Amino acid sequence: MFSANIKSVHNSVKNIAAEHLSKPNKNIHQALMMAEIFKTAEITACTLVSETEKEHMECKAGCSVCCRVNIPVLLPEAIAVKEFIIETKSKSEINTLKIEMEKHLGQIKFMDEEERIFINKKCIFLDDTGRCSIYPVRPLMCRSVTSADASACKDAMSMIALNESIPVPMNIKHKNVMETAFKALAESLKEAGLCDKSREITYSVLHALQH
């Protein structure tokens, strides 16, 4: 049953992408495409994960322990974030954000994940309260993380900074759904003759905002 649902996610994402990637005005259609892909992945994950499992998920608004790792995004995901920013921020706020993103990108450009965690360099899209300011359009790889132990997340981040690793209990079914959607999207981009390479979120969204 689980394998069938994963295959269904893969096929659904491919079908959604095929419908949108062939249309003109790619920014709008790719943002709409991502909204459909996010919805499909979230509904599937919600269906597969039991209520008991959901009760054990400790990820919640304001918990940003894991938001220090390098998040890979595909171009349509970056475009979805860009469109969300344009819709929710003023021109002045966007210009300020661009400056902050350029500064942030310069600081993390040559950092590996361990270095970024060690100096506590958090995601540029976290607000002052530790909440995700782009939550409705957060990337699939962000959505894949569902910790069942907040303290384990903190310990894992500390150990990564020391070049060691410890496991973090998370819901594998939810994780597999989001990762499958990501891979299916990448496949669709390649088949459409578009770039299927993922880039770090700060770089990708800044590039989208500048073009």
Side-chain angles (χ1 to χ4, degrees):
M1 173 68 84
F2 180 65
S3 297
N5 279 290
I6 288 295
K7 185 175 181 180
S8 175
V9 170
H10 182 273
N11 291 340
S12 294
V13 170
K14 294 292 290 287
N15 289 336
I16 292 168
E19 177 185 352
H20 287 279
L21 292 176
S22 62
K23 294 180 179 180
N25 198 351
K26 291 191 181 301
N27 278 8
I28 297 298
H29 280 292
Q30 289 193 36
L32 292 172
M33 175 183 72
M34 289 314 307
E36 289 187 43
I37 290 173
F38 290 149
K39 183 177 179 180
T40 296
E42 292 287 356
I43 289 174
T44 304
C46 188
T47 301
L48 290 175
V49 178
S50 69
E51 291 303 317
T52 301
E53 289 173 300
K54 291 172 189 173
E55 289 174 4
H56 286 89
M57 291 183 183
E58 293 200 11
C59 297
K60 54 178 65 73
C63 179
S64 56
V65 174
C66 65
C67 300
R68 290 177 280 172
V69 298
N70 292 316
I71 294 297
V73 301
L74 296 163
L75 180 57
E77 295 182 284
I79 289 173
V81 175
K82 167 193 172 179
E83 294 298 320
F84 179 80
I85 289 171
I86 290 173
E87 289 175 6
T88 57
K89 292 184 180 295
S90 67
K91 287 185 177 180
S92 175
E93 288 173 326
I94 293 172
N95 287 334
T96 298
L97 177 60
K98 285 182 184 179
I99 292 170
E100 292 173 351
M101 291 175 73
E102 287 173 349
K103 180 180 178 182
H104 182 87
L105 188 59
Q107 292 170 339
I108 67 170
K109 188 173 183 180
F110 299 108
M111 285 185 187
D112 59 24
E113 200 145 276
E114 290 78 13
E115 291 171 321
R116 182 167 172 175
I117 292 169
F118 184 75
I119 67 167
N120 194 31
K121 198 63 181 175
K122 294 186 178 182
C123 177
I124 190 67
F125 297 112
L126 289 180
D127 65 19
D128 294 337
T129 67
R131 293 170 182 258
C132 178
S133 66
I134 58 167
Y135 192 79
V137 291
R138 68 198 186 282
L140 289 163
M141 289 298 98
C142 291
R143 294 169 192 259
S144 72
V145 179
T146 53
S147 174
D149 187 342
S151 61
C153 290
K154 295 177 182 177
D155 291 341
M157 289 296 106
S158 297
M159 295 307 290
I160 289 174
L162 298 174
N163 206 25
E164 299 195 24
S165 65
I166 59 173
V168 175
M170 63 177 64
N171 193 285
I172 297 301
K173 287 182 282 189
H174 186 103
K175 186 172 186 288
N176 282 345
V177 167
M178 299 303 166
E179 290 182 347
T180 296
F182 183 90
K183 291 174 184 175
L185 176 58
E187 288 175 17
S188 297
L189 292 169
K190 186 173 183 178
E191 290 166 5
L194 301 171
C195 178
D196 64 328
K197 305 299 181 185
S198 61
R199 306 292 291 268
E200 193 275 334
I201 186 171
T202 312
Y203 173 88
S204 295
V205 176
L206 178 59
H207 186 269
L209 283 168
Q210 291 173 333
H211 295 83

